[in-house]
Amino acid sequence: MTVLSVRGLTVRFRMRESAPVRAVTDVSFDLAAGECLALVGESGCGKSVLASALLGLLPGNAETAGSALLAGAGDDPATDLIAADEATLARTVRGRRVGLVPQSPAAHLTPVRTVRAHLTETVRRLTGTRGRDALRTATEAAARVSFPAGHLDRHPHELSGGLAQRAATALALVGDAPLLLADEPTTGLDRDLVERTVDELRRHTGATRALLMITHDLAAAARIADRVAVMYAGRLVEIADADAFFGTPGPRHPYARGLLDALPERAFRPVPGRPPELAALPAGCAFAARCAHADTACATQPPLTGGLACHHPHTAPADLVHPPQAAEAPGA
C-alpha cells in the first residue's frame, strides 16, 4: 500500500528584488506503508520546504506545482495535499492524517499552556477521549518519547530545547496519523535519547502508516531508515536502499558519497565548496562546481533515473561498509 505518492513537486518563492528562489524542483517519490524514508542533505537544500508544502504551511509568496497524493482511509478518498484548500488541510489532514514533528518545536507550542494541557487537548481533539482517560492517554504519550512526568506542568518557555523537541514528538504521535513527517526530530537530544526517539518514530510505522524523516543525523537515518533520499539544491539526486547506501556498494552520487566521507568515522573529509544560491542555480548539474568528476556533460541537468541523477556515478565500493554510529554531516 502506498501512503504517499509525490509527483513533480516544485516550489518557487517570488522575490521583489531578485529572481525567484527555486526551493524544490520536480521531486517525485513514493512512500509505502511500513516504510521509513530518510531525506538528507545540507541545510538550505529544500528538505523542510518540501515538508511544509505537504502540509500547506508555505508562506504567501510561494508558488507550487505537481501533486502529493495521500492515500485515503476506509470510505475517505485520497487527497492531493498540494491542491487541497486550507479548510480541508486544517479540518481533516493536519494531525489526523499527517502528523508533524516540527523543526522548531517552540514555535508550535502555545506559550500560555502547559505540556500536559497541550497533550490532553490534542488527545481530545484527535481521538474524542475525555476526562481521566484523556489525561491518562496524554501521560502515556509523553512516556513514549521519554518526556519526564515531573515536567508535564511546565510551560514551553520553561523547557530546554531537547524537552521541547520531545513534547512536540509526543504531540505528533497522539493521532496515529497514516503519514508522520519528522523534520529534524533529534535536534537538541543526546545520543541515547536520539536512539530512543527514532526507535519510537520507527514503531509508528505499520500496515497503514509510514514515516518521512528529514534529518542531518546520518546515524539516526542508518538506524531506522529503509530508504535514503538525498537532496541537493532543491532536487533529489539519489534514492537508495539504506543497507546499500550505508554499506556496500555505498552511495552512487558524488555528493551523497561526500556526505558520508565527511563523517569522522569515515574519511573525515568535508564536501569541498558551498551549495549554490537557489535564486541563481546553473542550467546544468548544480553540483558540478564542487565535483571532481564534472565535465562538459554536466552542463545539462541529468534526470533522476533508476534512483540516480548523475552523469558520472560512483561504481566502486565505499571506503567503509559499516553504518555510522554517532555523527552528523558537517555543514548539514
Side-chain angles (χ1 to χ4, degrees):
M1 171 186 172
T2 300
V3 173
L4 179 68
S5 182
V6 177
R7 293 292 178 271
L9 178 57
T10 296
V11 180
R12 300 283 183 266
F13 293 111
R14 302 183 305 274
M15 309 302 289
R16 290 183 177 179
E17 299 179 358
S18 67
V21 174
R22 293 182 280 173
V24 177
T25 300
D26 196 24
V27 166
S28 298
F29 64 88
D30 291 323
L31 183 57
E35 182 181 31
C36 170
L37 175 65
L39 183 61
V40 304
E42 291 167 297
S43 294
C45 71
K47 306 186 303 298
S48 293
V49 172
L50 187 152
S52 295
L54 295 178
L55 283 166
L57 297 176
L58 294 171
N61 66 330
E63 297 177 343
T64 59
S67 63
L69 203 62
L70 178 67
D75 295 331
D76 295 332
T79 300
D80 184 350
L81 300 175
I82 306 305
D85 58 30
E86 172 60 24
T88 298
L89 292 170
R91 185 173 58 252
T92 67
V93 173
R94 297 186 194 122
R96 291 176 170 81
R97 297 174 62 192
V98 181
L100 172 67
V101 181
Q103 185 175 20
S104 301
H108 289 254
L109 298 173
T110 304
V112 297
R113 307 185 73 182
T114 65
V115 175
R116 191 189 305 275
H118 277 94
L119 285 167
T120 304
E121 177 58 27
T122 301
V123 169
R124 290 170 181 159
R125 181 170 59 87
L126 296 183
T127 70
T129 306
R130 296 290 187 270
R132 292 183 179 179
D133 289 340
L135 288 170
R136 183 176 63 255
T137 302
T139 303
E140 292 170 350
R144 289 175 67 181
V145 297
S146 302
F147 189 93
H151 290 61
L152 281 170
D153 293 315
R154 294 189 177 186
H155 293 83
H157 72 274
E158 299 177 294
L159 304 177
S160 66
L163 283 176
Q165 188 69 47
R166 278 184 271 170
T169 302
L171 287 167
L173 292 172
V174 165
D176 284 329
L179 175 61
L180 184 62
L181 298 180
D183 191 357
E184 300 293 352
T186 61
T187 299
L189 304 182
D190 61 33
R191 182 50 46 181
D192 178 63
L193 280 174
V194 165
E195 294 178 353
R196 292 163 67 179
T197 298
V198 298
D199 286 349
E200 187 60 47
L201 292 174
R202 175 72 215 199
R203 280 191 286 273
H204 172 83
T205 64
T208 60
R209 300 192 299 270
L211 168 64
L212 175 60
M213 183 172 71
I214 296 169
T215 185
H216 294 139
D217 191 334
L218 297 179
R223 184 176 179 88
I224 69 166
D226 297 293
R227 289 188 298 149
V228 178
V230 182
M231 202 165 187
Y232 185 77
R235 292 181 180 270
L236 290 185
V237 296
E238 183 168 358
I239 302 178
D241 288 340
D243 288 345
F245 186 88
F246 292 111
T248 301
R252 293 180 291 163
H253 195 282
Y255 172 66
R257 184 164 293 245
L259 289 179
L260 289 191
D261 283 345
L263 295 170
E265 62 271 29
R266 300 230 175 188
F268 204 26
R269 181 175 59 248
V271 181
R274 301 181 64 181
E277 295 291 332
L278 294 178
L281 292 174
C285 174
F287 187 63
R290 306 173 71 184
C291 182
H293 307 285
D295 61 16
T296 56
C298 303
T300 61
Q301 174 63 47
L304 186 70
T305 304
L308 183 68
C310 184
H311 293 295
H312 305 292
H314 280 274
T315 57
D319 293 334
L320 293 178
V321 299
H322 303 294
Q325 297 301 310
E328 293 189 5

PDB file of all heavy atoms in Angstrom, residues 213-242:
ATOM      1  N   MET A 213      11.311  10.999   7.430  1.00  0.00           N
ATOM      2  CA  MET A 213      12.180  11.658   8.401  1.00  0.00           C
ATOM      3  C   MET A 213      13.203  12.529   7.683  1.00  0.00           C
ATOM      4  O   MET A 213      14.016  12.043   6.896  1.00  0.00           O
ATOM      5  CB  MET A 213      12.903  10.629   9.275  1.00  0.00           C
ATOM      6  CG  MET A 213      13.775  11.268  10.348  1.00  0.00           C
ATOM      7  SD  MET A 213      14.471  10.105  11.542  1.00  0.00           S
ATOM      8  CE  MET A 213      15.683   9.245  10.527  1.00  0.00           C
ATOM      9  N   ILE A 214      13.141  13.834   7.964  1.00  0.00           N
ATOM     10  CA  ILE A 214      14.099  14.788   7.434  1.00  0.00           C
ATOM     11  C   ILE A 214      15.177  14.961   8.489  1.00  0.00           C
ATOM     12  O   ILE A 214      14.875  15.320   9.637  1.00  0.00           O
ATOM     13  CB  ILE A 214      13.407  16.122   7.121  1.00  0.00           C
ATOM     14  CG1 ILE A 214      12.371  15.932   6.007  1.00  0.00           C
ATOM     15  CG2 ILE A 214      14.422  17.186   6.735  1.00  0.00           C
ATOM     16  CD1 ILE A 214      11.468  17.127   5.809  1.00  0.00           C
ATOM     17  N   THR A 215      16.423  14.711   8.139  1.00  0.00           N
ATOM     18  CA  THR A 215      17.449  14.706   9.177  1.00  0.00           C
ATOM     19  C   THR A 215      18.831  15.033   8.635  1.00  0.00           C
ATOM     20  O   THR A 215      19.148  14.743   7.477  1.00  0.00           O
ATOM     21  CB  THR A 215      17.484  13.342   9.895  1.00  0.00           C
ATOM     22  OG1 THR A 215      18.404  13.394  10.981  1.00  0.00           O
ATOM     23  CG2 THR A 215      17.878  12.214   8.946  1.00  0.00           C
ATOM     24  N   HIS A 216      19.646  15.658   9.505  1.00  0.00           N
ATOM     25  CA  HIS A 216      21.079  15.794   9.259  1.00  0.00           C
ATOM     26  C   HIS A 216      21.845  14.643   9.895  1.00  0.00           C
ATOM     27  O   HIS A 216      23.023  14.445   9.610  1.00  0.00           O
ATOM     28  CB  HIS A 216      21.612  17.103   9.875  1.00  0.00           C
ATOM     29  CG  HIS A 216      21.071  18.335   9.236  1.00  0.00           C
ATOM     30  ND1 HIS A 216      20.693  19.442   9.961  1.00  0.00           N
ATOM     31  CD2 HIS A 216      20.841  18.644   7.948  1.00  0.00           C
ATOM     32  CE1 HIS A 216      20.259  20.383   9.139  1.00  0.00           C
ATOM     33  NE2 HIS A 216      20.340  19.925   7.915  1.00  0.00           N
ATOM     34  N   ASP A 217      21.180  13.940  10.789  1.00  0.00           N
ATOM     35  CA  ASP A 217      21.838  12.915  11.593  1.00  0.00           C
ATOM     36  C   ASP A 217      21.867  11.599  10.817  1.00  0.00           C
ATOM     37  O   ASP A 217      20.901  10.831  10.818  1.00  0.00           O
ATOM     38  CB  ASP A 217      21.091  12.759  12.921  1.00  0.00           C
ATOM     39  CG  ASP A 217      21.851  11.906  13.926  1.00  0.00           C
ATOM     40  OD1 ASP A 217      22.648  11.068  13.493  1.00  0.00           O
ATOM     41  OD2 ASP A 217      21.636  12.099  15.134  1.00  0.00           O
ATOM     42  N   LEU A 218      22.983  11.335  10.175  1.00  0.00           N
ATOM     43  CA  LEU A 218      23.085  10.135   9.354  1.00  0.00           C
ATOM     44  C   LEU A 218      23.092   8.868  10.190  1.00  0.00           C
ATOM     45  O   LEU A 218      22.697   7.800   9.714  1.00  0.00           O
ATOM     46  CB  LEU A 218      24.333  10.207   8.477  1.00  0.00           C
ATOM     47  CG  LEU A 218      24.336  11.354   7.462  1.00  0.00           C
ATOM     48  CD1 LEU A 218      25.632  11.362   6.662  1.00  0.00           C
ATOM     49  CD2 LEU A 218      23.148  11.257   6.521  1.00  0.00           C
ATOM     50  N   ALA A 219      23.528   8.971  11.445  1.00  0.00           N
ATOM     51  CA  ALA A 219      23.469   7.809  12.323  1.00  0.00           C
ATOM     52  C   ALA A 219      22.024   7.423  12.604  1.00  0.00           C
ATOM     53  O   ALA A 219      21.674   6.246  12.625  1.00  0.00           O
ATOM     54  CB  ALA A 219      24.214   8.088  13.623  1.00  0.00           C
ATOM     55  N   ALA A 220      21.172   8.428  12.831  1.00  0.00           N
ATOM     56  CA  ALA A 220      19.760   8.157  13.051  1.00  0.00           C
ATOM     57  C   ALA A 220      19.127   7.553  11.806  1.00  0.00           C
ATOM     58  O   ALA A 220      18.320   6.622  11.887  1.00  0.00           O
ATOM     59  CB  ALA A 220      19.039   9.444  13.449  1.00  0.00           C
ATOM     60  N   ALA A 221      19.488   8.079  10.645  1.00  0.00           N
ATOM     61  CA  ALA A 221      18.961   7.533   9.399  1.00  0.00           C
ATOM     62  C   ALA A 221      19.395   6.084   9.199  1.00  0.00           C
ATOM     63  O   ALA A 221      18.603   5.222   8.815  1.00  0.00           O
ATOM     64  CB  ALA A 221      19.414   8.384   8.218  1.00  0.00           C
ATOM     65  N   ALA A 222      20.671   5.808   9.491  1.00  0.00           N
ATOM     66  CA  ALA A 222      21.169   4.448   9.336  1.00  0.00           C
ATOM     67  C   ALA A 222      20.483   3.490  10.295  1.00  0.00           C
ATOM     68  O   ALA A 222      20.321   2.301   9.993  1.00  0.00           O
ATOM     69  CB  ALA A 222      22.683   4.417   9.563  1.00  0.00           C
ATOM     70  N   ARG A 223      20.048   3.998  11.433  1.00  0.00           N
ATOM     71  CA  ARG A 223      19.446   3.145  12.458  1.00  0.00           C
ATOM     72  C   ARG A 223      18.048   2.669  12.063  1.00  0.00           C
ATOM     73  O   ARG A 223      17.692   1.506  12.305  1.00  0.00           O
ATOM     74  CB  ARG A 223      19.380   3.908  13.788  1.00  0.00           C
ATOM     75  CG  ARG A 223      18.856   3.083  14.953  1.00  0.00           C
ATOM     76  CD  ARG A 223      18.920   3.879  16.237  1.00  0.00           C
ATOM     77  NE  ARG A 223      18.395   3.134  17.380  1.00  0.00           N
ATOM     78  CZ  ARG A 223      19.119   2.320  18.146  1.00  0.00           C
ATOM     79  NH1 ARG A 223      20.406   2.163  17.893  1.00  0.00           N
ATOM     80  NH2 ARG A 223      18.559   1.676  19.159  1.00  0.00           N
ATOM     81  N   ILE A 224      17.234   3.554  11.452  1.00  0.00           N
ATOM     82  CA  ILE A 224      15.826   3.183  11.259  1.00  0.00           C
ATOM     83  C   ILE A 224      15.324   3.249   9.820  1.00  0.00           C
ATOM     84  O   ILE A 224      14.232   2.749   9.541  1.00  0.00           O
ATOM     85  CB  ILE A 224      14.903   4.055  12.131  1.00  0.00           C
ATOM     86  CG1 ILE A 224      14.867   5.502  11.641  1.00  0.00           C
ATOM     87  CG2 ILE A 224      15.289   3.974  13.596  1.00  0.00           C
ATOM     88  CD1 ILE A 224      13.739   6.312  12.244  1.00  0.00           C
ATOM     89  N   ALA A 225      16.069   3.861   8.896  1.00  0.00           N
ATOM     90  CA  ALA A 225      15.527   4.072   7.550  1.00  0.00           C
ATOM     91  C   ALA A 225      15.550   2.805   6.713  1.00  0.00           C
ATOM     92  O   ALA A 225      16.480   1.993   6.794  1.00  0.00           O
ATOM     93  CB  ALA A 225      16.302   5.174   6.838  1.00  0.00           C
ATOM     94  N   ASP A 226      14.517   2.650   5.894  1.00  0.00           N
ATOM     95  CA  ASP A 226      14.503   1.604   4.868  1.00  0.00           C
ATOM     96  C   ASP A 226      15.141   2.104   3.581  1.00  0.00           C
ATOM     97  O   ASP A 226      15.828   1.350   2.891  1.00  0.00           O
ATOM     98  CB  ASP A 226      13.059   1.174   4.578  1.00  0.00           C
ATOM     99  CG  ASP A 226      12.390   0.569   5.791  1.00  0.00           C
ATOM    100  OD1 ASP A 226      12.813  -0.516   6.225  1.00  0.00           O
ATOM    101  OD2 ASP A 226      11.454   1.196   6.314  1.00  0.00           O
ATOM    102  N   ARG A 227      14.891   3.381   3.284  1.00  0.00           N
ATOM    103  CA  ARG A 227      15.489   4.002   2.101  1.00  0.00           C
ATOM    104  C   ARG A 227      15.988   5.389   2.470  1.00  0.00           C
ATOM    105  O   ARG A 227      15.520   5.998   3.432  1.00  0.00           O
ATOM    106  CB  ARG A 227      14.488   4.106   0.946  1.00  0.00           C
ATOM    107  CG  ARG A 227      14.121   2.784   0.302  1.00  0.00           C
ATOM    108  CD  ARG A 227      13.288   3.004  -0.958  1.00  0.00           C
ATOM    109  NE  ARG A 227      12.033   3.682  -0.627  1.00  0.00           N
ATOM    110  CZ  ARG A 227      11.387   4.510  -1.448  1.00  0.00           C
ATOM    111  NH1 ARG A 227      11.893   4.812  -2.629  1.00  0.00           N
ATOM    112  NH2 ARG A 227      10.247   5.066  -1.069  1.00  0.00           N
ATOM    113  N   VAL A 228      16.933   5.867   1.669  1.00  0.00           N
ATOM    114  CA  VAL A 228      17.507   7.199   1.862  1.00  0.00           C
ATOM    115  C   VAL A 228      17.324   7.983   0.573  1.00  0.00           C
ATOM    116  O   VAL A 228      17.622   7.476  -0.522  1.00  0.00           O
ATOM    117  CB  VAL A 228      19.005   7.126   2.218  1.00  0.00           C
ATOM    118  CG1 VAL A 228      19.590   8.525   2.373  1.00  0.00           C
ATOM    119  CG2 VAL A 228      19.213   6.318   3.489  1.00  0.00           C
ATOM    120  N   ALA A 229      16.814   9.217   0.700  1.00  0.00           N
ATOM    121  CA  ALA A 229      16.705  10.127  -0.431  1.00  0.00           C
ATOM    122  C   ALA A 229      17.620  11.320  -0.171  1.00  0.00           C
ATOM    123  O   ALA A 229      17.525  11.944   0.883  1.00  0.00           O
ATOM    124  CB  ALA A 229      15.260  10.592  -0.621  1.00  0.00           C
ATOM    125  N   VAL A 230      18.503  11.600  -1.100  1.00  0.00           N
ATOM    126  CA  VAL A 230      19.484  12.681  -0.946  1.00  0.00           C
ATOM    127  C   VAL A 230      19.036  13.873  -1.787  1.00  0.00           C
ATOM    128  O   VAL A 230      18.789  13.737  -2.991  1.00  0.00           O
ATOM    129  CB  VAL A 230      20.883  12.224  -1.378  1.00  0.00           C
ATOM    130  CG1 VAL A 230      21.901  13.341  -1.159  1.00  0.00           C
ATOM    131  CG2 VAL A 230      21.296  10.966  -0.613  1.00  0.00           C
ATOM    132  N   MET A 231      18.955  15.024  -1.139  1.00  0.00           N
ATOM    133  CA  MET A 231      18.502  16.235  -1.823  1.00  0.00           C
ATOM    134  C   MET A 231      19.656  17.215  -1.929  1.00  0.00           C
ATOM    135  O   MET A 231      20.430  17.403  -0.976  1.00  0.00           O
ATOM    136  CB  MET A 231      17.340  16.859  -1.041  1.00  0.00           C
ATOM    137  CG  MET A 231      16.446  17.761  -1.843  1.00  0.00           C
ATOM    138  SD  MET A 231      14.898  18.083  -0.948  1.00  0.00           S
ATOM    139  CE  MET A 231      14.007  18.974  -2.236  1.00  0.00           C
ATOM    140  N   TYR A 232      19.764  17.847  -3.086  1.00  0.00           N
ATOM    141  CA  TYR A 232      20.798  18.860  -3.298  1.00  0.00           C
ATOM    142  C   TYR A 232      20.226  19.968  -4.163  1.00  0.00           C
ATOM    143  O   TYR A 232      19.694  19.698  -5.264  1.00  0.00           O
ATOM    144  CB  TYR A 232      22.035  18.258  -3.969  1.00  0.00           C
ATOM    145  CG  TYR A 232      23.168  19.259  -4.088  1.00  0.00           C
ATOM    146  CD1 TYR A 232      23.957  19.587  -2.990  1.00  0.00           C
ATOM    147  CD2 TYR A 232      23.425  19.912  -5.298  1.00  0.00           C
ATOM    148  CE1 TYR A 232      24.976  20.520  -3.082  1.00  0.00           C
ATOM    149  CE2 TYR A 232      24.445  20.853  -5.396  1.00  0.00           C
ATOM    150  CZ  TYR A 232      25.217  21.153  -4.291  1.00  0.00           C
ATOM    151  OH  TYR A 232      26.217  22.079  -4.377  1.00  0.00           O
ATOM    152  N   ALA A 233      20.324  21.202  -3.693  1.00  0.00           N
ATOM    153  CA  ALA A 233      19.881  22.372  -4.448  1.00  0.00           C
ATOM    154  C   ALA A 233      18.453  22.206  -4.964  1.00  0.00           C
ATOM    155  O   ALA A 233      18.148  22.548  -6.103  1.00  0.00           O
ATOM    156  CB  ALA A 233      20.838  22.664  -5.609  1.00  0.00           C
ATOM    157  N   GLY A 234      17.583  21.666  -4.113  1.00  0.00           N
ATOM    158  CA  GLY A 234      16.177  21.559  -4.445  1.00  0.00           C
ATOM    159  C   GLY A 234      15.763  20.326  -5.210  1.00  0.00           C
ATOM    160  O   GLY A 234      14.571  20.124  -5.443  1.00  0.00           O
ATOM    161  N   ARG A 235      16.719  19.493  -5.606  1.00  0.00           N
ATOM    162  CA  ARG A 235      16.406  18.292  -6.387  1.00  0.00           C
ATOM    163  C   ARG A 235      16.818  17.034  -5.636  1.00  0.00           C
ATOM    164  O   ARG A 235      17.793  17.048  -4.877  1.00  0.00           O
ATOM    165  CB  ARG A 235      17.136  18.304  -7.732  1.00  0.00           C
ATOM    166  CG  ARG A 235      16.660  19.361  -8.716  1.00  0.00           C
ATOM    167  CD  ARG A 235      17.443  19.248 -10.017  1.00  0.00           C
ATOM    168  NE  ARG A 235      17.035  20.232 -10.994  1.00  0.00           N
ATOM    169  CZ  ARG A 235      16.066  20.037 -11.892  1.00  0.00           C
ATOM    170  NH1 ARG A 235      15.432  18.877 -11.933  1.00  0.00           N
ATOM    171  NH2 ARG A 235      15.743  20.991 -12.752  1.00  0.00           N
ATOM    172  N   LEU A 236      16.111  15.944  -5.898  1.00  0.00           N
ATOM    173  CA  LEU A 236      16.579  14.644  -5.454  1.00  0.00           C
ATOM    174  C   LEU A 236      17.670  14.176  -6.401  1.00  0.00           C
ATOM    175  O   LEU A 236      17.474  14.166  -7.627  1.00  0.00           O
ATOM    176  CB  LEU A 236      15.443  13.624  -5.436  1.00  0.00           C
ATOM    177  CG  LEU A 236      14.363  13.805  -4.371  1.00  0.00           C
ATOM    178  CD1 LEU A 236      13.379  12.644  -4.425  1.00  0.00           C
ATOM    179  CD2 LEU A 236      14.970  13.923  -2.975  1.00  0.00           C
ATOM    180  N   VAL A 237      18.825  13.804  -5.845  1.00  0.00           N
ATOM    181  CA  VAL A 237      19.926  13.341  -6.699  1.00  0.00           C
ATOM    182  C   VAL A 237      20.172  11.844  -6.553  1.00  0.00           C
ATOM    183  O   VAL A 237      20.827  11.241  -7.398  1.00  0.00           O
ATOM    184  CB  VAL A 237      21.228  14.127  -6.409  1.00  0.00           C
ATOM    185  CG1 VAL A 237      21.039  15.598  -6.759  1.00  0.00           C
ATOM    186  CG2 VAL A 237      21.669  13.966  -4.959  1.00  0.00           C
ATOM    187  N   GLU A 238      19.645  11.249  -5.467  1.00  0.00           N
ATOM    188  CA  GLU A 238      19.782   9.803  -5.308  1.00  0.00           C
ATOM    189  C   GLU A 238      18.732   9.293  -4.336  1.00  0.00           C
ATOM    190  O   GLU A 238      18.435   9.935  -3.325  1.00  0.00           O
ATOM    191  CB  GLU A 238      21.177   9.422  -4.804  1.00  0.00           C
ATOM    192  CG  GLU A 238      21.382   7.915  -4.694  1.00  0.00           C
ATOM    193  CD  GLU A 238      22.830   7.504  -4.466  1.00  0.00           C
ATOM    194  OE1 GLU A 238      23.708   8.395  -4.434  1.00  0.00           O
ATOM    195  OE2 GLU A 238      23.082   6.294  -4.329  1.00  0.00           O
ATOM    196  N   ILE A 239      18.148   8.149  -4.655  1.00  0.00           N
ATOM    197  CA  ILE A 239      17.276   7.404  -3.756  1.00  0.00           C
ATOM    198  C   ILE A 239      17.786   5.970  -3.740  1.00  0.00           C
ATOM    199  O   ILE A 239      17.941   5.352  -4.799  1.00  0.00           O
ATOM    200  CB  ILE A 239      15.806   7.434  -4.197  1.00  0.00           C
ATOM    201  CG1 ILE A 239      15.289   8.871  -4.298  1.00  0.00           C
ATOM    202  CG2 ILE A 239      14.943   6.635  -3.217  1.00  0.00           C
ATOM    203  CD1 ILE A 239      13.849   8.972  -4.769  1.00  0.00           C
ATOM    204  N   ALA A 240      18.076   5.444  -2.555  1.00  0.00           N
ATOM    205  CA  ALA A 240      18.687   4.124  -2.468  1.00  0.00           C
ATOM    206  C   ALA A 240      18.195   3.391  -1.230  1.00  0.00           C
ATOM    207  O   ALA A 240      17.775   4.014  -0.247  1.00  0.00           O
ATOM    208  CB  ALA A 240      20.214   4.246  -2.415  1.00  0.00           C
ATOM    209  N   ASP A 241      18.257   2.076  -1.264  1.00  0.00           N
ATOM    210  CA  ASP A 241      18.008   1.286  -0.069  1.00  0.00           C
ATOM    211  C   ASP A 241      19.051   1.654   0.986  1.00  0.00           C
ATOM    212  O   ASP A 241      20.232   1.822   0.670  1.00  0.00           O
ATOM    213  CB  ASP A 241      18.100  -0.200  -0.385  1.00  0.00           C
ATOM    214  CG  ASP A 241      16.921  -0.693  -1.215  1.00  0.00           C
ATOM    215  OD1 ASP A 241      15.877  -0.013  -1.223  1.00  0.00           O
ATOM    216  OD2 ASP A 241      17.046  -1.759  -1.850  1.00  0.00           O
ATOM    217  N   ALA A 242      18.607   1.754   2.242  1.00  0.00           N
ATOM    218  CA  ALA A 242      19.512   2.188   3.301  1.00  0.00           C
ATOM    219  C   ALA A 242      20.691   1.241   3.481  1.00  0.00           C
ATOM    220  O   ALA A 242      21.824   1.677   3.709  1.00  0.00           O
ATOM    221  CB  ALA A 242      18.745   2.331   4.618  1.00  0.00           C
TER     222      ALA A 242
END
